[in-house]
Amino acid sequence: MWVYQKKLQYPVHIHRPNPKLAKIIITQLGGPHGEKGAADRYLQQRYSMPFERVVGILTDVGTEELAHQEIVSSIIAQLTRSMSVDEIEKNGLETYFVDHTASVYPQAASGMPYSAATIAVTGDAIADLSEDLAAEQKARLSYDNILRFLDDPDVIDPIRFLREREIVHFQRFGDALRDVKDHLDKKNYYAYNPEFDGKN
Amino acid sequence: MNRSENMNMNMNMSNGENGYNGNTGRRNKTAKERLLYRLQVCDFALHECALYLDEHPYDPAALQYYERQKALHRELSEDYIKRYGPITYFDNQNQNEWEWAKGPWPWELNENGEEE
């Protein structure tokens, strides 16, 4: 289970609203490399994972991704606070506004709603952890691309924190993949799938 | 680089004041924000430690660091809860009022764009 803690993992305090930035940053909530997908991916991969330490990593990184979902959502909420209809129109947010008003909906920058089709839960330990390593790099590059458009230090600061976490998670999933391989046949890592073979 | 050096590097990145300049010096932080920030730094150190320990469960340096941060975390959380209210719904202190659901929530700023 989870228990909510009434604090952000990293402070978000944006003095100047800027709806135009919200339009691109929202992709890290509900886009193909976003935090919501990250949380779903890692937490759902746990149930067939036979190695306890790897389940530990998936649980703790997955839980941190929930905290990142909240940080990105807080950034969107603060960037779009007290918008006038004029500002909505000027910044091209009217297509979002008609469906969601000033709420925070998980979607990509393109407008595509969050989809579990952007994540993989394969039930194969090597495939899942390779997916996780790639996912961390994809999130990192999205933050790098977002940073190209930012000049407000209030926004840059939490985005940089999130970017840095992707790199740390990449290292930790590297540990996990090594752990999986240590359990497998050294002459042929693909000789059997430890999440399926031998259990049936 | 051995494992514990690698771990210490990761944790030192944000275990001081230098990782945080989000408020850009525009006004002084309130006492509540300062205490919250100390707690967030400690949370972060513990979380980094946990991610590392998941795959290195016998690393003596990491376990020692964990114990130190755990003690600090207990102290800071108790202090914060006493002054500013519950962090989780296990922390409600007032037997005559349910304070857990009182705002502000962590993403909220007041009309002047400041934390309350």
Side-chain angles (χ1 to χ4, degrees):
Chain A
M1 78 167 291
W2 279 263
V3 175
Y4 184 68
Q5 294 186 44
K6 208 184 213 174
K7 51 184 156 67
L8 297 179
Q9 191 199 11
Y10 193 85
V12 177
H13 193 144
I14 297 167
H15 291 79
R16 288 185 299 273
N18 185 340
K20 203 169 175 184
L21 294 182
K23 269 175 77 176
I24 56 169
I25 293 173
I26 202 166
T27 216
Q28 284 307 92
L29 173 60
H33 315 148
E35 302 290 357
K36 187 170 180 52
D40 282 353
R41 177 187 294 111
Y42 307 144
L43 295 174
Q44 295 312 124
Q45 287 177 359
R46 297 180 302 158
Y47 302 98
S48 55
M49 182 61 70
F51 310 121
E52 60 189 3
R53 296 177 187 179
V54 179
V55 175
I57 290 268
L58 290 170
T59 300
D60 294 337
V61 177
T63 300
E64 185 181 350
E65 306 296 5
L66 293 172
H68 294 178
Q69 187 177 322
E70 189 184 35
I71 293 174
V72 176
S73 300
S74 300
I75 293 171
I76 305 297
Q78 294 186 14
L79 286 171
T80 56
R81 70 177 183 272
S82 37
M83 291 183 293
S84 68
V85 171
D86 268 3
E87 286 166 332
I88 289 164
E89 230 178 336
K90 203 176 71 199
N91 291 291
L93 251 74
E94 62 276 41
T95 51
Y96 181 91
F97 181 83
V98 287
D99 290 327
H100 310 295
T101 327
S103 64
V104 182
Y105 177 72
Q107 65 166 49
S110 65
M112 185 183 79
Y114 171 67
S115 168
T118 59
I119 70 168
V121 180
T122 67
D124 178 292
I126 292 179
D128 274 355
L129 285 164
S130 302
E131 150 96 2
D132 301 346
L133 287 160
E136 295 296 334
Q137 289 300 333
K138 290 189 283 182
R140 190 270 306 156
L141 78 87
S142 293
Y143 284 122
D144 276 331
N145 284 339
I146 285 168
L147 283 164
R148 297 174 198 271
F149 295 96
L150 305 184
D151 57 7
D152 180 348
D154 290 350
V155 187
I156 290 172
D157 187 51
I159 295 290
R160 277 204 185 133
F161 171 81
L162 293 167
R163 176 191 176 278
E164 194 175 283
R165 300 308 296 153
E166 309 302 340
I167 295 166
V168 171
H169 291 173
F170 182 81
Q171 290 175 301
R172 299 286 78 91
F173 283 129
D175 287 345
L177 182 57
R178 176 194 40 75
D179 183 14
V180 167
K181 288 185 170 172
D182 284 349
H183 284 88
L184 298 178
D185 181 343
K186 300 288 178 298
K187 290 185 187 137
N188 178 7
Y189 289 133
Y190 310 104
Y192 63 96
N193 173 5
E195 299 198 31
F196 184 75
D197 298 301
K199 291 181 167 182
N200 38 340
Chain B
M1 180 184 286
N2 69 32
R3 283 172 183 174
S4 53
E5 276 164 358
N6 182 26
M7 179 202 72
N8 284 330
M9 265 185 59
N10 291 336
M11 289 191 303
N12 287 340
M13 283 192 304
S14 294
N15 197 18
E17 294 292 322
N18 51 358
Y20 175 51
N21 51 18
N23 286 340
T24 58
R26 230 167 295 184
R27 77 191 161 84
N28 292 330
K29 278 184 268 195
T30 62
K32 181 182 174 186
E33 282 174 287
R34 284 198 303 273
L35 181 56
L36 177 61
Y37 186 64
R38 286 183 70 200
L39 184 55
Q40 283 167 317
V41 169
C42 186
D43 279 342
F44 181 80
L46 276 171
H47 181 73
E48 271 290 79
C49 209
L51 293 188
Y52 178 84
L53 281 165
D54 285 342
E55 283 290 353
H56 309 92
Y58 303 106
D59 187 308
L63 287 166
Q64 203 183 14
Y65 186 89
Y66 172 78
E67 285 302 324
R68 233 174 31 240
Q69 291 293 325
K70 190 172 73 172
L72 179 62
H73 189 267
R74 188 174 301 133
E75 199 182 300
L76 290 170
S77 325
E78 279 172 12
D79 193 19
Y80 183 91
I81 291 162
K82 207 165 61 201
R83 290 168 198 270
Y84 305 114
I87 294 172
T88 75
Y89 58 45
F90 296 116
D91 305 328
N92 203 77
Q93 305 291 308
N94 186 338
Q95 297 191 4
N96 302 308
E97 188 188 354
W98 184 240
E99 293 178 328
W100 161 244
K102 278 171 84 168
W105 290 87
W107 53 89
E108 288 177 338
L109 305 175
N110 68 19
E111 288 159 4
N112 304 319
E114 305 291 355
E115 285 167 41
E116 305 190 34

